[in-house]
Structure formats: structure tokens, C-alpha cells
Amino acid sequence: MDRKNIVEFVYDCEDKLKKEYEEIDKISFFNSMKVLKAFHDSKVSEAHLQGTTGYGYNDYGRDTVEEVYKRVFKCEDALVRGQLISGTHALTVAMSAMLRPGDVMLSITGKPYDTLDKVIGITPNDSSLISYGIKYEQVDLVDNEFNKEAIYKILLSKRVKLITIQRSKGYSTRESIGISKLEKIISDIRKVDKEVIIMVDNCYCEFVSYKEPTEVGADLVVGSLIKNLGAGMATNGAYICGKKNLIELCAERLNVPGQAKEVGPSGTNNRMFLLGLYMAPSVVSSSLKTMTLFSYAMEKLGYKVSPRYNEVKADIVLNIEFRNKYKLIDFCKAIQSSSAIDSFVEPTPSDMPGYDSQVIMASGSFTQGSSIELSCDGPLREPYIAYLQGSLTYDYGKIAVINVVSKFYDEGKMNR
Ligand SMILES: *Cc1c(COP(=O)(O)O)cnc(C)c1O
């Protein structure tokens, strides 16, 4: 195939996706209305775009950002801070805030995201939750379904303080947890345990559907602002939303006992966080369309993808299975060369803090590590899966599809 045919091939793929794109547009419109209403109800004004320094007392902008988040998540309170370094940090703060020595924490989506191994103590660490006397238990998914029997057995045999549910698949091959499945398991848990705190790791799932976890019964929901809700505008930060008393505990854990949400200078964050949230429904829709196009095109080229183009999406991450180390590396190189920043740089596999195997990452992003921007990564282990996500606009995503398809053809790498 020459370049012209490749462009035609990608346009042909796009033509087949009208129905999927229509549904993505509907969700984006719905979430835009939700965001705008939250801005209106919170009376966001120009003054709120300013930030504070030092202690961060009387930070009306920061308080308003949190008010808007609270309304978007339809819950009692929110903590949205630049002092939360990342999603991992926000999850760490939330778990540390909920758990006391002797308490039991239970993950019902199997082993959590790799960067939490040392936080929990699955990989021993002197500062882990386990080192503080917290007990950790885990129930794996079975064929992508919650193992309700095993969960019930634990809940009925002992007092569990915190249940964690990770929606997005992380570096695994399981399916991500859609909002209906989440709603169902939460209501099932409530049948046997009214007390247990249910926390949801919502990374990559925000605005992918009509509802957020706090709307279907979660007590706490956690996510990163260099993913969906930052929309590429926020240059750091994370959020925790949920029940008022729990958010208070999180704020005391993050900041200072006794000062909770009252402190924490926002610097230049208020404007970025508001702008990011405002743009997020549309940016998430660009990511979803990009992933749908990649899914369709890579499947046509013979690769196993998940989710397939016509499956309901629970997050913005696409798995492409290469079953070959060199193809995975080539794919990441092609994504890197499609970026605006560092397009001339060749990604190479390397060790990463918090990860087991070597990882290759393509992230030519405006914000370091931002994965709402076009990016892809994959651990160098069987079956050599690339985890692709993002694109701030659909056009840049489509250009990346064209580049990937043409690179794979040009260099004859399809047949390696
Ligand atoms: C990205 C991610 C995290 C961690 O977020 P960081 O901001 O990268 O620390 C946690 N859980 C899931 C499911 C994620 O996708």
C-alpha cells in the first residue's frame, strides 16, 4: 500500500464507525451539560481563577473548584488539589486516611495497579499499609465478573473496613468495569454490609459514560488530573470525591490534622483545574473516538484488540496485543513520532519506579506523564500488549492512526 491508499484505508475505517461516534457524541453532550450546570450552580466567577500562596487560607477559587467537582460527582464533598501529586498519591492518601492498624482492606478487582504494590505492601516496603498493621485481602475477578460468593464469604466472616474497586484494567488483560456492573456489585455488597466504605479507583473512566461512581453508591471516588478530568490543561493534581466525613479524613491525612481543607495554596491551579474540567467531556470524546478508530484499524490489520470498536467502552484505554516484542516497540515508536513534543525521540524499554518488568512508553506530551494526551505504554512481557490512550483532539488521533498504519506497512514489519 502506498501513502495515498493508507489514507483512504483510514477514511474507510472511519466511515464504518458512524454509529459508535454518534453514541460518543451523545455522552459528551450530556457530560458537557452536567459540567456547565455545575459551574452555574457554583457561581464560578473571574475572581475564582486566581490562586493563593503560603498557607492557602481563604482560597475561594480552590473552594469553588471543589464545589464544582462535588456537583459533577453528585456527592457531598471533594478534595481537588495540586498537592496530590498523582492518582497513585490520591489513592494512597485515601487508603491511609480510611484505615487504622488492625483494619481489613479488601480489593475485589484482583491485584490493584502496579504502583500500589509498595503502598499496600504486596511488595514489602517499610512505609506500606501492611507495615502499619493493616490487613490486605484480595478477591480476583473470574471471567471478567466479580466473584460475589468469595466477596460475601469474607464480608460475612469478618469486619472489613474498606473495599476498593479498580475500574480500569491497568496492565492486565481483563475488561474494565463499566458503570452498570459497578452499580450492581455495590448494591450487592450493600445487601450484606451497610457499613463498609466502598472506594473506587476511577482513573481513565471519567466522562466515558453518563454516570460517575458516586452516583451509583460509591462512598469515595479517586482519579488523576493528568488523565481525563485535567483534559491536558491541568499540569498536575488529583481528586478525591465522596462522603463529607471521609473527605475530611482525606484532607487531614494529606494536609495537617486539624486544618483539613482550610490549607493548601492553589498557586496557578484554580484556572487550570476549572478549564480542564470544562474541556474534559470533549477531550474524553476525542480520546474515545481515537481509540475506536485504532481498535477498528488494528483489528483489520490482524491484531487482537480490546475493547473491539463496537463494544461499550468503560475507559479510554485500548489494548493491542502484538505477541511480539519488536512489534510492540515499533508501535510505541510510531506513536512517539506522531506526538507534537519529542517526536524525534526513540522510546526504549527501561525500568520504572513502581513497575515489575521493563516498560516502554511513548509520551510526547505537554505535561510529563500525561496520558489523556496521545500516549502508549506496555510492559515487556508476554503477550506484548500496547496500552494506548488519549489524544487531545480527534484529528491528531487520526493522524497517529495514519502514521502507525503507514509505518507498519512501509517497513514491512507486519510480517516479522
Ligand atoms: C493511572 C492509574 C493509576 C495511577 O495514577 P498516576 O496518576 O499514574 O499515579 C491508578 N489506577 C489506575 C487504574 C490507573 O490507570
Side-chain angles (χ1 to χ4, degrees):
M1 264 207 283
D2 60 23
R3 178 92 193 166
K4 188 167 150 282
N5 291 340
I6 285 160
V7 174
E8 266 167 29
F9 166 77
V10 173
Y11 273 93
D12 279 348
C13 291
E14 196 179 35
D15 270 347
K16 305 287 188 320
L17 300 169
K18 292 217 167 73
K19 198 164 133 257
E20 283 73 26
Y21 286 9
E22 248 171 50
E23 179 57 21
I24 293 169
D25 286 338
K26 272 188 207 160
I27 293 169
S28 156
F29 182 73
F30 178 89
N31 284 316
S32 298
M33 296 231 291
K34 198 191 231 184
V35 167
L36 192 61
K37 184 167 189 322
F39 271 65
H40 292 174
D41 292 346
S42 308
K43 294 199 161 55
V44 177
S45 76
E46 197 187 342
H48 296 141
L49 304 176
Q50 307 302 319
T52 56
T53 56
Y55 296 120
Y57 294 144
N58 304 315
D59 195 322
Y60 303 115
R62 182 193 68 210
D63 295 347
T64 303
V65 169
E66 291 177 343
E67 173 94 22
V68 174
Y69 263 73
K70 179 183 103 175
R71 291 180 198 278
V72 165
F73 281 86
K74 302 197 194 309
C75 60
E76 296 173 6
D77 208 352
L79 189 64
V80 187
R81 301 288 169 121
Q83 284 83 12
L84 290 167
I85 300 160
S86 59
T88 304
H89 186 210
L91 288 160
T92 305
V93 166
M95 292 187 292
S96 311
M98 297 307 115
L99 299 161
R100 300 291 175 272
D103 282 349
V104 178
M105 153 183 175
L106 170 66
S107 164
I108 61 168
T109 37
K111 193 180 91 55
Y113 198 69
D114 293 43
T115 56
L116 293 168
D117 285 3
K118 286 183 185 166
V119 175
I120 295 167
I122 297 169
T123 304
N125 184 284
D126 285 345
S127 301
S128 70
L129 292 168
I130 288 176
S131 82
Y132 280 86
I134 287 147
K135 301 193 181 77
Y136 171 73
E137 298 205 25
Q138 169 181 317
V139 172
D140 292 341
L141 296 167
V142 179
D143 294 334
N144 286 310
E145 299 298 329
F146 287 105
N147 187 345
K148 209 168 97 181
E149 257 171 47
I151 297 168
Y152 274 11
K153 204 171 151 207
I154 294 176
L155 289 178
L156 294 170
S157 69
K158 65 184 79 164
R159 167 106 176 79
V160 174
K161 182 73 172 292
L162 176 72
I163 286 184
T164 72
I165 303 173
Q166 179 184 308
R167 294 186 65 193
S168 190
K169 59 201 150 202
Y171 286 143
S172 81
T173 49
R174 71 159 165 96
E175 286 169 14
S176 296
I177 313 280
I179 197 78
S180 339
K181 205 178 252 186
L182 183 69
E183 180 162 29
K184 177 82 176 65
I185 191 68
I186 291 177
S187 94
D188 285 341
I189 291 168
R190 286 297 175 229
K191 281 176 200 154
V192 299
D193 194 332
K194 301 253 181 294
E195 304 282 293
V196 63
I197 300 163
I198 301 175
M199 179 180 90
V200 175
D201 175 352
N202 205 29
C203 281
Y204 286 136
C205 298
E206 300 93 347
F207 293 164
V208 169
S209 43
Y210 293 99
K211 284 183 180 174
E212 298 304 324
T214 34
E215 295 176 72
V216 299
D219 298 309
L220 271 185
V221 55
V222 182
S224 164
L225 294 190
I226 60 170
K227 293 182 179 172
N228 300 20
L229 293 188
M233 309 284 156
T235 52
N236 74 318
Y239 72 86
I240 309 174
C241 297
K243 293 256 166 70
K244 196 170 179 58
N245 60 327
L246 304 181
I247 295 298
E248 174 83 5
L249 286 169
C250 292
E252 297 230 315
R253 180 75 273 159
L254 171 68
N255 295 332
V256 180
Q259 301 188 23
K261 291 181 71 189
E262 304 290 313
V263 291
S266 58
T268 55
N269 285 338
N270 292 336
R271 182 176 173 281
M272 289 188 314
F273 287 1
L274 288 167
L275 183 56
L277 185 64
Y278 183 74
M279 298 297 291
S282 153
V283 170
V284 169
S285 111
S286 297
S287 289
L288 286 169
K289 285 180 187 169
T290 300
M291 114 193 239
T292 305
L293 184 59
F294 261 111
S295 181
Y296 190 85
M298 295 309 283
E299 187 174 276
K300 278 264 171 278
L301 297 183
Y303 294 97
K304 193 176 158 209
V305 291
S306 173
R308 295 190 60 218
Y309 70 98
N310 56 358
E311 284 174 316
V312 177
K313 314 288 184 292
D315 61 19
I316 62 164
V317 184
L318 176 68
N319 291 18
I320 306 164
E321 195 174 301
F322 288 101
R323 296 181 167 278
N324 174 314
K325 180 170 157 180
Y326 300 102
K327 281 186 183 174
L328 168 61
I329 295 173
D330 286 342
F331 182 80
C332 291
K333 283 183 182 167
I335 293 295
Q336 181 80 32
S337 71
S338 309
S339 308
I341 311 295
D342 289 337
S343 61
F344 50 89
V345 167
E346 280 212 347
T348 49
S350 64
D351 297 318
M352 294 282 299
Y355 296 91
D356 269 358
S357 4
Q358 283 204 321
V359 178
I360 182 162
M361 295 200 169
S363 179
S365 54
F366 288 83
T367 291
Q368 188 188 94
S370 166
S371 47
I372 184 64
E373 299 182 51
L374 181 71
S375 53
C376 100
D377 43 37
L380 277 261
R381 61 187 183 216
E382 291 283 352
Y384 298 103
I385 294 173
Y387 296 81
L388 175 88
Q389 61 271 315
S391 195
L392 296 181
T393 77
Y394 172 63
D395 289 322
Y396 292 124
K398 187 157 108 187
I399 293 168
V401 177
I402 294 170
N403 281 348
V404 164
V405 174
S406 55
K407 276 232 158 91
F408 270 56
Y409 269 103
D410 284 354
E411 295 164 25
K413 283 175 181 160
M414 297 294 302
N415 309 314
R416 187 185 272 175

